[in-house]
Amino acid sequence: MTDLCGSERRDMFKAAAMELACQHGYEGATIKRIAQKCGVTVGTIYHYFENKEELFREALRERTFATVLKKLIGEIEEKPIDEGLFRVAMGFVGFLRERRNLISILVSEGLHNGEFGGLFMDIVRQNTELMKSYFDRKIAADELAPIDSRIAVQMFFGHFFTAYLHKERMQMEHLPPLDEAFVRGSIALLLHSWTQP
């Protein structure tokens, strides 16, 4: 532990915080527990982070879809809107699958814990702003009809999040599989009302 540099220690504390939150919830992931897991004193963690909220805010920011979305938007900017949205949707669904424990924490803790709920809202705001800017550029380029891009973002992410939740977390067998055909069909349906006549 003593041979770790400052950034490695910060990363270790953030990883431990997220792991403990998955096991015990946000309230149960105390600084004391994080310190014990990492084999350090509580004071050591406070040397790197002002408080628990700062530690979790940084840990969550690094583990959110916004980091993936920034990269994806850079790659799809010049592609047709249907292909761009397909790549974003597939990236989002893949992210939900890979980070299922994180998603569980965000949903459950965000509903009943005000402090954690604020962290969750920061994450949602990042995704919303990135995707809204993308939609606004497509509207300006006449690839989309003049729509309320905030509503479009909510519909887009909300649709795929709900599909993931119902099919893969709640195991609703009567629903179609969340595969490429489902994603392409969903995008075609969304774009039908958003594209220029």
Side-chain angles (χ1 to χ4, degrees):
M1 170 60 194
T2 53
D3 59 342
L4 294 178
C5 70
S7 64
E8 291 171 328
R9 281 189 173 202
R10 290 178 74 88
D11 290 344
M12 180 178 67
F13 299 152
K14 289 180 283 190
M18 295 309 298
E19 184 180 331
L20 288 168
C22 287
Q23 296 168 359
H24 306 285
Y26 179 71
E27 290 298 328
T30 62
I31 293 292
K32 182 178 179 182
R33 271 190 169 146
I34 296 166
Q36 288 171 340
K37 181 160 186 59
C38 295
V40 300
T41 65
V42 168
T44 301
I45 293 179
Y46 283 120
H47 175 75
Y48 291 91
F49 298 96
E50 185 177 327
N51 52 39
K52 178 178 162 179
E53 184 179 355
E54 181 189 8
L55 192 163
F56 270 90
R57 177 172 282 113
E58 192 171 310
L60 286 169
R61 188 178 299 124
E62 292 172 1
R63 290 162 174 80
T64 66
F65 184 61
T67 55
V68 177
L69 184 56
K70 282 180 195 172
K71 183 175 184 289
L72 279 171
I73 288 176
E75 294 170 358
I76 66 170
E77 198 68 52
E78 302 304 319
K79 295 192 178 298
I81 185 92
D82 58 335
E83 188 57 31
L85 291 181
F86 173 76
R87 293 203 40 207
V88 171
M90 290 301 293
F92 184 56
V93 170
F95 176 85
L96 294 173
R97 289 172 175 152
E98 287 173 18
R99 303 285 185 158
R100 64 180 296 168
N101 290 339
L102 173 62
I103 303 306
S104 295
I105 296 168
L106 290 173
V107 172
S108 63
E109 293 288 334
L111 290 174
H112 69 271
N113 183 304
E115 185 178 335
F116 199 87
L119 298 174
F120 183 42
M121 289 311 301
D122 288 346
I123 291 168
V124 171
R125 197 173 296 115
Q126 287 175 348
N127 290 338
T128 299
E129 290 306 316
L130 285 167
M131 203 65 190
K132 179 185 178 309
S133 295
Y134 173 74
F135 281 141
D136 288 343
R137 287 190 299 277
K138 292 299 182 181
I139 292 167
D142 290 331
E143 290 184 55
L144 283 177
I147 55 172
D148 185 326
S149 52
R150 286 194 183 276
I151 294 173
V153 171
Q154 187 173 355
M155 287 176 66
F156 181 79
F157 284 123
H159 172 72
F160 292 110
F161 181 77
T162 302
Y164 162 79
L165 188 65
H166 288 170
K167 183 64 180 178
E168 298 190 11
R169 296 309 298 269
M170 299 173 73
Q171 301 295 310
M172 294 184 177
E173 294 299 324
H174 66 284
L175 296 175
L178 186 49
D179 57 13
E180 287 189 16
F182 176 87
V183 172
R184 286 200 187 278
S186 297
I187 289 167
L189 189 62
L190 290 170
L191 286 177
H192 180 72
S193 60
W194 294 351
T195 50
Q196 292 282 16

